């Protein structure tokens, strides 16, 4: 079964495999701030935007827009950002 119907949309968010994402998700969130348990994130499983785009194309999905996402822990909200260095 396809992940989206013809003409439909699919939103995917994942952590990018960059030094910044490692620093924020593993060092800061797990080890320093203890926001999530140690071992929650596995940096080797993070994928780059190009890898995600290629995987989607291999499965018949077209990438129409590539944007980043950021989380504001104070307001407990996600928002769109123009770069994808973390999410």
């Amino acid at each position: 079964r396809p992940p989206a119907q013809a003409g439909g949309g699919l939103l995917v968010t994942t952590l990018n495999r960059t030094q910044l994402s490692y620093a924020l998700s593993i060092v800061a969130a797990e080890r320093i701030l203890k926001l999530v348990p140690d071992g929650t994130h596995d940096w080797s499983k993070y994928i780059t935007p190009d890898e995600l785009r290629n995987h989607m194309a291999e499965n018949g999905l077209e990438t129409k827009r590539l944007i980043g996402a950021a989380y504001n822990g104070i307001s407990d909200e996600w928002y769109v950002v123009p770069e994808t260095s973390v999410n």
Side-chain angles (χ1 to χ4, degrees):
R1 180 173 182 183
Q5 294 181 348
L10 175 68
L11 172 68
V12 178
T13 184
T14 186
L15 288 163
N16 191 352
R17 193 175 53 250
T18 62
Q19 291 178 345
L20 180 59
S21 71
Y22 181 88
L24 293 175
S25 64
I26 296 174
V27 176
E30 289 185 21
R31 297 180 186 160
I32 297 172
L33 300 173
K34 303 290 186 190
L35 296 173
V36 294
D38 284 347
T40 295
H41 300 99
D42 182 345
W43 192 75
S44 69
K45 293 182 180 178
Y46 294 9
I47 61 174
T48 67
D50 284 339
E51 290 169 342
L52 179 59
R53 182 182 293 132
N54 291 339
H55 182 68
M56 291 177 65
E58 290 167 1
N59 288 280
L61 298 170
E62 176 187 2
T63 301
K64 297 228 178 197
R65 187 174 172 203
L66 184 63
I67 56 173
Y71 178 70
N72 182 326
I74 295 171
S75 65
D76 192 29
E77 295 178 331
W78 285 91
Y79 54 96
V80 172
V81 294
E83 50 90 18
T84 60
S85 61
V86 178
N87 291 21

